[in-house]
Amino acid sequence: MNENIVVIYGSPRHNGNSDKLGQAFVKGSKTSQNIVSEFYIRDMKINGCIGCEYCYSDFGVCSQKDDMILIHEQLFKADIIVFVLPIYYQGFPSQLKAVIDRMYISENKPFSIKKAIILATYATPGTQMSKMTKKYFETLIKYHGWENSGSIFVSGLDEKDDILGHKSLIEAFELGKSV
């Protein structure tokens, strides 16, 4: 298939449940000869958008010179973007939201992304906590014109390794294999 995939890990916690879910997806996608770029944003220096509009007038170049440049470079080549995150207070963690805000540079120079996937974990059992996150993801992909190529939401994961042995890891591997 040879898709160019950018995987953005939004958890501030090292090797937590969402990381493990994303890593299962990556393993699956590599079996299909895809090119995968992974970004653990907790290990990067990424400022929030300052609304200066420089990127809008300079066609996709941000005025801030931080690690977001590395992600931007890959997004301009990507076929698929994958958001991997824990749901915090019914939404995306602030670290990931900063990355999404900085994707504004694509307004005058669009990314090549055609498809998007979300992989999310959260502690509260049931689906109530994920509703706002799902809605935000759907709104984001509709705005960009991306196809929703899959989502996995896993609830009831309270402790760091609760996902180990969970069927969602197989689902994530299979989703990765299918793209």
Side-chain angles (χ1 to χ4, degrees):
M1 292 185 189
N2 295 327
E3 299 278 11
N4 193 334
I5 303 171
V6 172
V7 180
I8 302 174
Y9 295 87
S11 179
R13 181 191 290 183
H14 286 272
N15 208 27
N17 293 312
S18 63
D19 281 3
K20 289 175 177 80
L21 189 63
Q23 291 159 358
F25 172 88
V26 168
K27 284 180 188 171
S29 84
K30 286 183 176 179
T31 66
S32 297
Q33 309 304 313
N34 292 307
I35 301 160
V36 181
S37 299
E38 297 175 87
F39 295 98
Y40 291 85
I41 59 177
R42 67 174 162 263
D43 299 325
M44 302 174 79
K45 172 68 173 140
I46 299 175
N47 301 317
C49 179
I50 58 173
C52 68
E53 298 284 332
Y54 182 86
C55 62
Y56 197 79
S57 62
D58 224 36
F59 299 99
V61 176
C62 184
S63 67
Q64 299 188 71
K65 306 303 177 208
D66 59 9
D67 292 339
M68 192 63 198
I69 292 171
L70 303 170
I71 297 174
H72 284 150
E73 287 173 358
Q74 294 306 311
L75 292 176
F76 283 116
K77 298 186 277 186
D79 301 303
I80 301 170
I81 187 169
V82 181
F83 298 104
V84 180
L85 60 134
I87 296 176
Y88 286 173
Y89 207 63
Q90 302 179 35
F92 281 44
S94 60
Q95 297 87 343
L96 183 54
K97 184 62 171 78
V99 168
I100 292 168
D101 288 349
R102 296 280 300 280
M103 290 172 62
Y104 181 68
I105 71 163
S106 68
E107 289 297 307
N108 268 347
K109 182 182 176 187
F111 297 132
S112 59
I113 299 166
K114 309 258 184 315
K115 302 174 184 176
I117 294 170
I118 186 170
L119 308 173
T121 62
Y122 55 104
T124 307
T127 60
Q128 187 63 33
M129 285 297 286
S130 64
K131 286 182 180 181
M132 286 177 54
T133 303
K134 287 178 183 179
K135 186 68 174 166
Y136 179 71
F137 176 70
E138 291 166 4
T139 302
L140 182 67
I141 64 174
K142 183 178 180 182
Y143 176 80
H144 285 283
W146 303 334
E147 175 188 323
N148 185 343
S149 290
S151 61
I152 298 175
F153 288 84
V154 188
S155 67
L157 304 177
D158 200 30
E159 299 298 323
K160 187 174 182 179
D161 290 328
D162 280 354
I163 201 165
L164 296 178
H166 197 279
K167 67 179 183 171
S168 62
L169 294 175
I170 295 167
E171 292 169 9
F173 180 87
E174 292 299 325
L175 179 58
K177 200 169 146 181
S178 73
V179 295

PDB file of all heavy atoms in Angstrom, residues 24-46:
ATOM      1  N   ALA A  24       0.585  -0.408  18.725  1.00  0.00           N
ATOM      2  CA  ALA A  24      -0.028  -1.580  18.075  1.00  0.00           C
ATOM      3  C   ALA A  24      -0.462  -1.221  16.656  1.00  0.00           C
ATOM      4  O   ALA A  24      -0.261  -2.000  15.715  1.00  0.00           O
ATOM      5  CB  ALA A  24      -1.215  -2.081  18.895  1.00  0.00           C
ATOM      6  N   PHE A  25      -1.043  -0.035  16.491  1.00  0.00           N
ATOM      7  CA  PHE A  25      -1.427   0.434  15.155  1.00  0.00           C
ATOM      8  C   PHE A  25      -0.208   0.524  14.248  1.00  0.00           C
ATOM      9  O   PHE A  25      -0.243   0.070  13.098  1.00  0.00           O
ATOM     10  CB  PHE A  25      -2.114   1.809  15.254  1.00  0.00           C
ATOM     11  CG  PHE A  25      -2.362   2.436  13.919  1.00  0.00           C
ATOM     12  CD1 PHE A  25      -3.526   2.162  13.217  1.00  0.00           C
ATOM     13  CD2 PHE A  25      -1.425   3.285  13.332  1.00  0.00           C
ATOM     14  CE1 PHE A  25      -3.749   2.723  11.960  1.00  0.00           C
ATOM     15  CE2 PHE A  25      -1.635   3.849  12.093  1.00  0.00           C
ATOM     16  CZ  PHE A  25      -2.798   3.569  11.402  1.00  0.00           C
ATOM     17  N   VAL A  26       0.871   1.105  14.747  1.00  0.00           N
ATOM     18  CA  VAL A  26       2.090   1.277  13.948  1.00  0.00           C
ATOM     19  C   VAL A  26       2.655  -0.078  13.525  1.00  0.00           C
ATOM     20  O   VAL A  26       3.039  -0.261  12.364  1.00  0.00           O
ATOM     21  CB  VAL A  26       3.144   2.111  14.715  1.00  0.00           C
ATOM     22  CG1 VAL A  26       4.510   2.045  14.035  1.00  0.00           C
ATOM     23  CG2 VAL A  26       2.677   3.559  14.841  1.00  0.00           C
ATOM     24  N   LYS A  27       2.689  -1.037  14.431  1.00  0.00           N
ATOM     25  CA  LYS A  27       3.171  -2.384  14.082  1.00  0.00           C
ATOM     26  C   LYS A  27       2.356  -2.961  12.930  1.00  0.00           C
ATOM     27  O   LYS A  27       2.894  -3.525  11.995  1.00  0.00           O
ATOM     28  CB  LYS A  27       3.106  -3.315  15.289  1.00  0.00           C
ATOM     29  CG  LYS A  27       4.195  -3.085  16.293  1.00  0.00           C
ATOM     30  CD  LYS A  27       4.066  -4.041  17.473  1.00  0.00           C
ATOM     31  CE  LYS A  27       5.046  -3.662  18.557  1.00  0.00           C
ATOM     32  NZ  LYS A  27       4.833  -4.401  19.794  1.00  0.00           N
ATOM     33  N   GLY A  28       1.043  -2.822  13.017  1.00  0.00           N
ATOM     34  CA  GLY A  28       0.180  -3.319  11.948  1.00  0.00           C
ATOM     35  C   GLY A  28       0.424  -2.598  10.640  1.00  0.00           C
ATOM     36  O   GLY A  28       0.493  -3.216   9.577  1.00  0.00           O
ATOM     37  N   SER A  29       0.582  -1.285  10.696  1.00  0.00           N
ATOM     38  CA  SER A  29       0.748  -0.529   9.456  1.00  0.00           C
ATOM     39  C   SER A  29       2.092  -0.813   8.792  1.00  0.00           C
ATOM     40  O   SER A  29       2.202  -0.762   7.575  1.00  0.00           O
ATOM     41  CB  SER A  29       0.530   0.963   9.695  1.00  0.00           C
ATOM     42  OG  SER A  29       1.657   1.592  10.150  1.00  0.00           O
ATOM     43  N   LYS A  30       3.090  -1.138   9.589  1.00  0.00           N
ATOM     44  CA  LYS A  30       4.401  -1.453   9.005  1.00  0.00           C
ATOM     45  C   LYS A  30       4.390  -2.809   8.290  1.00  0.00           C
ATOM     46  O   LYS A  30       5.195  -3.030   7.396  1.00  0.00           O
ATOM     47  CB  LYS A  30       5.489  -1.394  10.068  1.00  0.00           C
ATOM     48  CG  LYS A  30       5.823   0.038  10.458  1.00  0.00           C
ATOM     49  CD  LYS A  30       6.957   0.112  11.458  1.00  0.00           C
ATOM     50  CE  LYS A  30       7.332   1.556  11.744  1.00  0.00           C
ATOM     51  NZ  LYS A  30       8.423   1.656  12.742  1.00  0.00           N
ATOM     52  N   THR A  31       3.458  -3.695   8.651  1.00  0.00           N
ATOM     53  CA  THR A  31       3.364  -4.975   7.947  1.00  0.00           C
ATOM     54  C   THR A  31       2.868  -4.789   6.524  1.00  0.00           C
ATOM     55  O   THR A  31       3.039  -5.664   5.685  1.00  0.00           O
ATOM     56  CB  THR A  31       2.435  -5.982   8.677  1.00  0.00           C
ATOM     57  OG1 THR A  31       1.098  -5.492   8.645  1.00  0.00           O
ATOM     58  CG2 THR A  31       2.894  -6.226  10.102  1.00  0.00           C
ATOM     59  N   SER A  32       2.237  -3.643   6.255  1.00  0.00           N
ATOM     60  CA  SER A  32       1.732  -3.333   4.914  1.00  0.00           C
ATOM     61  C   SER A  32       2.681  -2.403   4.146  1.00  0.00           C
ATOM     62  O   SER A  32       2.267  -1.752   3.196  1.00  0.00           O
ATOM     63  CB  SER A  32       0.348  -2.683   5.014  1.00  0.00           C
ATOM     64  OG  SER A  32      -0.571  -3.572   5.591  1.00  0.00           O
ATOM     65  N   GLN A  33       3.930  -2.339   4.592  1.00  0.00           N
ATOM     66  CA  GLN A  33       4.962  -1.550   3.907  1.00  0.00           C
ATOM     67  C   GLN A  33       4.687  -0.050   3.880  1.00  0.00           C
ATOM     68  O   GLN A  33       5.140   0.647   2.975  1.00  0.00           O
ATOM     69  CB  GLN A  33       5.183  -2.074   2.476  1.00  0.00           C
ATOM     70  CG  GLN A  33       5.428  -3.565   2.362  1.00  0.00           C
ATOM     71  CD  GLN A  33       6.599  -4.042   3.210  1.00  0.00           C
ATOM     72  OE1 GLN A  33       7.650  -3.441   3.194  1.00  0.00           O
ATOM     73  NE2 GLN A  33       6.393  -5.107   3.971  1.00  0.00           N
ATOM     74  N   ASN A  34       3.946   0.437   4.833  1.00  0.00           N
ATOM     75  CA  ASN A  34       3.695   1.875   4.922  1.00  0.00           C
ATOM     76  C   ASN A  34       4.910   2.589   5.497  1.00  0.00           C
ATOM     77  O   ASN A  34       5.722   1.993   6.205  1.00  0.00           O
ATOM     78  CB  ASN A  34       2.471   2.148   5.806  1.00  0.00           C
ATOM     79  CG  ASN A  34       1.195   1.671   5.158  1.00  0.00           C
ATOM     80  OD1 ASN A  34       0.899   2.018   4.030  1.00  0.00           O
ATOM     81  ND2 ASN A  34       0.440   0.844   5.862  1.00  0.00           N
ATOM     82  N   ILE A  35       5.025   3.849   5.199  1.00  0.00           N
ATOM     83  CA  ILE A  35       6.073   4.693   5.758  1.00  0.00           C
ATOM     84  C   ILE A  35       5.450   5.432   6.937  1.00  0.00           C
ATOM     85  O   ILE A  35       4.471   6.159   6.762  1.00  0.00           O
ATOM     86  CB  ILE A  35       6.588   5.689   4.705  1.00  0.00           C
ATOM     87  CG1 ILE A  35       7.140   4.933   3.491  1.00  0.00           C
ATOM     88  CG2 ILE A  35       7.631   6.620   5.307  1.00  0.00           C
ATOM     89  CD1 ILE A  35       7.224   5.779   2.243  1.00  0.00           C
ATOM     90  N   VAL A  36       6.000   5.234   8.130  1.00  0.00           N
ATOM     91  CA  VAL A  36       5.400   5.785   9.339  1.00  0.00           C
ATOM     92  C   VAL A  36       6.365   6.745  10.033  1.00  0.00           C
ATOM     93  O   VAL A  36       7.513   6.389  10.291  1.00  0.00           O
ATOM     94  CB  VAL A  36       4.991   4.663  10.320  1.00  0.00           C
ATOM     95  CG1 VAL A  36       4.349   5.242  11.570  1.00  0.00           C
ATOM     96  CG2 VAL A  36       4.063   3.660   9.651  1.00  0.00           C
ATOM     97  N   SER A  37       5.882   7.941  10.314  1.00  0.00           N
ATOM     98  CA  SER A  37       6.620   8.918  11.121  1.00  0.00           C
ATOM     99  C   SER A  37       5.860   9.074  12.426  1.00  0.00           C
ATOM    100  O   SER A  37       4.659   9.357  12.414  1.00  0.00           O
ATOM    101  CB  SER A  37       6.689  10.269  10.411  1.00  0.00           C
ATOM    102  OG  SER A  37       7.350  10.150   9.175  1.00  0.00           O
ATOM    103  N   GLU A  38       6.545   8.873  13.543  1.00  0.00           N
ATOM    104  CA  GLU A  38       5.918   8.966  14.856  1.00  0.00           C
ATOM    105  C   GLU A  38       6.457  10.175  15.614  1.00  0.00           C
ATOM    106  O   GLU A  38       7.665  10.415  15.619  1.00  0.00           O
ATOM    107  CB  GLU A  38       6.200   7.713  15.672  1.00  0.00           C
ATOM    108  CG  GLU A  38       5.621   6.447  15.063  1.00  0.00           C
ATOM    109  CD  GLU A  38       6.030   5.217  15.840  1.00  0.00           C
ATOM    110  OE1 GLU A  38       5.328   4.871  16.810  1.00  0.00           O
ATOM    111  OE2 GLU A  38       7.060   4.606  15.482  1.00  0.00           O
ATOM    112  N   PHE A  39       5.556  10.897  16.262  1.00  0.00           N
ATOM    113  CA  PHE A  39       5.929  12.057  17.055  1.00  0.00           C
ATOM    114  C   PHE A  39       5.304  11.945  18.446  1.00  0.00           C
ATOM    115  O   PHE A  39       4.076  11.902  18.562  1.00  0.00           O
ATOM    116  CB  PHE A  39       5.460  13.356  16.378  1.00  0.00           C
ATOM    117  CG  PHE A  39       6.132  13.608  15.069  1.00  0.00           C
ATOM    118  CD1 PHE A  39       5.508  13.263  13.879  1.00  0.00           C
ATOM    119  CD2 PHE A  39       7.390  14.188  15.025  1.00  0.00           C
ATOM    120  CE1 PHE A  39       6.124  13.490  12.654  1.00  0.00           C
ATOM    121  CE2 PHE A  39       8.026  14.414  13.808  1.00  0.00           C
ATOM    122  CZ  PHE A  39       7.394  14.072  12.629  1.00  0.00           C
ATOM    123  N   TYR A  40       6.151  11.881  19.444  1.00  0.00           N
ATOM    124  CA  TYR A  40       5.715  11.906  20.836  1.00  0.00           C
ATOM    125  C   TYR A  40       5.852  13.355  21.287  1.00  0.00           C
ATOM    126  O   TYR A  40       6.949  13.808  21.630  1.00  0.00           O
ATOM    127  CB  TYR A  40       6.572  10.978  21.698  1.00  0.00           C
ATOM    128  CG  TYR A  40       6.352   9.519  21.392  1.00  0.00           C
ATOM    129  CD1 TYR A  40       7.035   8.875  20.357  1.00  0.00           C
ATOM    130  CD2 TYR A  40       5.448   8.777  22.143  1.00  0.00           C
ATOM    131  CE1 TYR A  40       6.832   7.526  20.084  1.00  0.00           C
ATOM    132  CE2 TYR A  40       5.232   7.425  21.878  1.00  0.00           C
ATOM    133  CZ  TYR A  40       5.930   6.812  20.843  1.00  0.00           C
ATOM    134  OH  TYR A  40       5.712   5.476  20.585  1.00  0.00           O
ATOM    135  N   ILE A  41       4.758  14.074  21.277  1.00  0.00           N
ATOM    136  CA  ILE A  41       4.856  15.514  21.490  1.00  0.00           C
ATOM    137  C   ILE A  41       5.279  15.886  22.905  1.00  0.00           C
ATOM    138  O   ILE A  41       5.777  16.989  23.126  1.00  0.00           O
ATOM    139  CB  ILE A  41       3.568  16.253  21.059  1.00  0.00           C
ATOM    140  CG1 ILE A  41       2.355  15.756  21.804  1.00  0.00           C
ATOM    141  CG2 ILE A  41       3.384  16.151  19.569  1.00  0.00           C
ATOM    142  CD1 ILE A  41       1.086  16.515  21.458  1.00  0.00           C
ATOM    143  N   ARG A  42       5.144  14.981  23.852  1.00  0.00           N
ATOM    144  CA  ARG A  42       5.613  15.264  25.219  1.00  0.00           C
ATOM    145  C   ARG A  42       7.126  15.458  25.257  1.00  0.00           C
ATOM    146  O   ARG A  42       7.652  16.073  26.173  1.00  0.00           O
ATOM    147  CB  ARG A  42       5.209  14.144  26.165  1.00  0.00           C
ATOM    148  CG  ARG A  42       5.926  12.845  25.851  1.00  0.00           C
ATOM    149  CD  ARG A  42       5.644  11.754  26.865  1.00  0.00           C
ATOM    150  NE  ARG A  42       6.002  10.489  26.256  1.00  0.00           N
ATOM    151  CZ  ARG A  42       5.157   9.669  25.672  1.00  0.00           C
ATOM    152  NH1 ARG A  42       3.866   9.948  25.641  1.00  0.00           N
ATOM    153  NH2 ARG A  42       5.574   8.558  25.128  1.00  0.00           N
ATOM    154  N   ASP A  43       7.839  14.908  24.273  1.00  0.00           N
ATOM    155  CA  ASP A  43       9.294  15.012  24.211  1.00  0.00           C
ATOM    156  C   ASP A  43       9.756  16.131  23.289  1.00  0.00           C
ATOM    157  O   ASP A  43      10.946  16.229  22.985  1.00  0.00           O
ATOM    158  CB  ASP A  43       9.886  13.683  23.711  1.00  0.00           C
ATOM    159  CG  ASP A  43       9.555  12.521  24.641  1.00  0.00           C
ATOM    160  OD1 ASP A  43       9.494  12.743  25.871  1.00  0.00           O
ATOM    161  OD2 ASP A  43       9.359  11.403  24.137  1.00  0.00           O
ATOM    162  N   MET A  44       8.820  16.939  22.836  1.00  0.00           N
ATOM    163  CA  MET A  44       9.133  17.997  21.882  1.00  0.00           C
ATOM    164  C   MET A  44       8.825  19.365  22.487  1.00  0.00           C
ATOM    165  O   MET A  44       8.016  19.472  23.406  1.00  0.00           O
ATOM    166  CB  MET A  44       8.315  17.792  20.600  1.00  0.00           C
ATOM    167  CG  MET A  44       8.547  16.439  19.941  1.00  0.00           C
ATOM    168  SD  MET A  44       7.462  16.145  18.528  1.00  0.00           S
ATOM    169  CE  MET A  44       8.325  17.114  17.284  1.00  0.00           C
ATOM    170  N   LYS A  45       9.436  20.373  21.944  1.00  0.00           N
ATOM    171  CA  LYS A  45       9.157  21.752  22.343  1.00  0.00           C
ATOM    172  C   LYS A  45       8.220  22.336  21.300  1.00  0.00           C
ATOM    173  O   LYS A  45       8.622  22.643  20.169  1.00  0.00           O
ATOM    174  CB  LYS A  45      10.468  22.548  22.413  1.00  0.00           C
ATOM    175  CG  LYS A  45      10.278  24.043  22.639  1.00  0.00           C
ATOM    176  CD  LYS A  45       9.730  24.346  24.012  1.00  0.00           C
ATOM    177  CE  LYS A  45       9.740  25.864  24.227  1.00  0.00           C
ATOM    178  NZ  LYS A  45       8.604  26.354  24.898  1.00  0.00           N
ATOM    179  N   ILE A  46       6.934  22.439  21.659  1.00  0.00           N
ATOM    180  CA  ILE A  46       5.929  22.969  20.742  1.00  0.00           C
ATOM    181  C   ILE A  46       5.132  24.048  21.462  1.00  0.00           C
ATOM    182  O   ILE A  46       4.448  23.782  22.448  1.00  0.00           O
ATOM    183  CB  ILE A  46       5.001  21.856  20.214  1.00  0.00           C
ATOM    184  CG1 ILE A  46       5.823  20.829  19.439  1.00  0.00           C
ATOM    185  CG2 ILE A  46       3.887  22.449  19.357  1.00  0.00           C
ATOM    186  CD1 ILE A  46       5.059  19.621  18.977  1.00  0.00           C
TER     187      ILE A  46
END
